[in-house]
Amino acid sequence: MFDIYPLYFTGWISPQLQQSYSLELSQPLELKTTMNQVQAPITVYFIFPEDETQFINFKCTDLNSSRWILVIRQCMTDSWDAAQPLNGVSSDQIKVWRITRTETSLLVECNGVTVLIFNFASDYKDGFSSCHSFWTRHSTAIKFNWSGGLYKNNGHLSMRTAVNQGIYFANIH
């Protein structure tokens, strides 16, 4: 028998430029977008204990098809041309994105649907075979370091983090 403990989130806040928000490995981040905006990137910097940062960058490229793409620094070229597609993104105006970085993968969900499972050891692009060595380390926080990465910074982006680590955890008796 085992007990499952639900994940509790903090309240929604508007992310502030250069503000650090505590977020560790396997702790989910939720972002809420309240309007579909084309070519408006969302850039999240993950901060590691050595004060090194790596980022993910994603945006909508076509409102009609709800096509979204994502760039993972050190796993592919830092350009939209080499971006990873996010498959199955809802066309709803309000989207809740759950981003979880585990010891092996980056998981992205939109409105409860998994739109990306990126394995750091196998899904990297040519020339980025050390992707896993950058992304599988423990992190301490996230930041929004670039004003251009705040979804046009017009009030249509909010965030919250989980109070405890992991999506769900269980005690096995």
Side-chain angles (χ1 to χ4, degrees), residues 74-75 120-122 124-134:
Q74 300 296 347
C75 297
F120 299 124
S122 61
Y124 57 85
K125 302 290 184 184
D126 287 342
F128 293 92
S129 60
S130 58
C131 167
H132 67 282
S133 67
F134 289 101

Side-chain angles (χ1 to χ4, degrees), residues 26-40:
S26 297
Q27 185 180 3
L29 164 68
E30 285 192 343
L31 300 170
K32 181 166 54 172
T33 55
T34 57
M35 178 181 171
N36 289 326
Q37 299 183 88
V38 71
Q39 304 299 340

Side-chain angles (χ1 to χ4, degrees), residues 118-164:
F118 186 93
N119 185 298
F120 299 124
S122 61
D123 294 337
Y124 57 85
K125 302 290 184 184
D126 287 342
F128 293 92
S129 60
S130 58
C131 167
H132 67 282
S133 67
F134 289 101
W135 284 97
T136 57
R137 299 174 295 154
H138 289 274
S139 57
T140 57
I142 58 162
K143 272 188 180 181
F144 297 84
N145 280 352
W146 175 50
S147 62
L150 283 170
Y151 205 58
K152 294 189 180 177
N153 204 15
N154 57 9
H156 293 288
L157 177 67
S158 53
M159 65 162 283
R160 65 185 183 177
T161 58
V163 174
N164 59 341

